Amino acid sequence: MAASGEPGRPRQEEVAAAVVVVGSCMTDLVSLTSRLPKTGETIHGHKFFIGFGGKGANQCVQAARLGAKASIVCKVGKDSFGNDYIENLKQNHISTEFTYQTRDAATGTASIIVNDEGENIIVIVAGANLLLNTEDLQKAASVISRARVMICQLEISPATSLEALTMAHSSGVTTLFNPAPAVADLDPQFYALSSVFCCNESEAEILTGLAVSNPTEAGKAALLLLERGCQVVVITLGASGCVTLSQTEPVPKHIPTEAVKAVDTTGAGDSFVGALAFYLAYYPNLPMEEMLKRSNFIAAVSVQATGTQSSYPYKKDLPPALF
Ligand SMILES: Nc1ncnc2c1ncn2[C@@H]1O[C@H](COP(=O)(O)OP(=O)(O)O)[C@@H](O)[C@H]1O
Ligand SMILES: *[C@@H]1O[C@H](CO)[C@@H](O)[C@H](O)[C@H]1NC(C)=O
């Protein structure tokens, strides 16, 4: 690898990425129809498109678009969707050094049907995502242990997520864990290994059994999650922003966001998590409240355009005050 060449400047660190995601890639296959089909029925839709999704890749793309040096540890199939996904990651300036391709399963897909009312039915086949394993993590060990922030979700095998979090935690890497999709009986180790535990309202309800539909309720759920051992808890609240609290300040704080005209909120949570990872990695001394204010802003931009990754803003399109 190249040294900077300039006298008096330290050699750039080699492989290191500041933000590393260990997570999922999914190809979204979206059909728009006037209504949802019944069992056994064939109907005609009026539009079809393919999109890039999967929570892991979405979060990585948002962090990279803000300027993070990012790498994703993931697995796709050795098929055309997998090839296209790798190309998409490269176009977003994400390192694919640890993006694996397997012949043993297809690239993860989400088949989505959306009716005119915006209601949907979705089938996810995680496929290759579930084959990301210990051996794959070992190959990526040096990039994980030298990251500033590592992000994980639950769209790959939970054992692999847990192992990645353990590796990062033991190297002093800040871990950002997004327990999505949520399960009621989440392994308690996930809490202890999370520097920042970030989920949305419905995930907080599943994890705590409490109702979470406003900032006050979210504060109570966040406290319960904090008591399970995370350093910081963030619960996102859609148009109401988010709530946070931490071991050092265990009093819930509500961080509202600006009112915007939402066009498509798909993937807003992933934009938020990717933005938060960027701030944790590049502005670690900002107060958490300020990082969350800025992450709210960025996610609010994403809801004003259609699609998932296609709605995520780039640094150049955002107010300089955010950087
Ligand atoms: N209608 C909205 N207006 C402004 N910001 C929004 C809106 N919906 C979502 N956001 C932003 O996106 C973040 C995540 O949204 P949320 O709906 O909680 O997550 P998810 O996408 O997981 O359902 C919120 O904390 C907020 O910052
Ligand atoms: C929270 O995220 C899950 C995906 O894990 C999604 O299905 C759900 O609709 C989201 N909930 C809210 C309230 O946005």
Side-chain angles (χ1 to χ4, degrees), residues 100-118:
Y100 304 99
Q101 276 190 291
T102 179
R103 289 186 195 281
D104 297 335
T107 297
T109 50
S111 299
I112 305 172
I113 300 170
V114 186
N115 70 13
D116 290 341
E117 280 69 57

Side-chain angles (χ1 to χ4, degrees), residues 157-182:
S157 113
T160 303
S161 288
L162 206 50
E163 191 175 349
L165 288 165
T166 304
M167 285 168 75
H169 186 260
S170 68
S171 302
V173 175
T174 299
T175 56
L176 172 49
F177 178 57
N178 173 221

Side-chain angles (χ1 to χ4, degrees), residues 15-25 52-74 85-99 143 151 274 309 312 314:
V15 293
V19 173
V20 173
V21 173
V22 177
S24 56
C25 293
F52 295 108
K55 292 172 189 296
N58 291 344
Q59 293 167 14
C60 199
V61 164
Q62 181 63 86
R65 288 188 183 177
L66 298 176
K69 190 173 178 198
S71 180
I72 186 164
V73 181
C74 61
Y85 216 114
I86 290 171
E87 189 50 39
N88 172 57
L89 294 169
K90 288 182 174 157
Q91 277 179 16
N92 282 285
H93 304 288
I94 293 167
S95 165
T96 56
E97 190 179 356
F98 301 103
T99 298
V143 75
I151 324 179
Q309 292 178 16
Y312 292 178
Y314 291 81

Side-chain angles (χ1 to χ4, degrees), residues 200 236-239 241-242 257-258 260 262 265 267-270 272 295-296 299-300 303:
N200 70 18
T236 62
L237 301 167
C242 62
T257 187
E258 27 256 287
V260 299
T265 60
D270 293 335
F272 182 95
S295 302
N296 268 342
V303 306

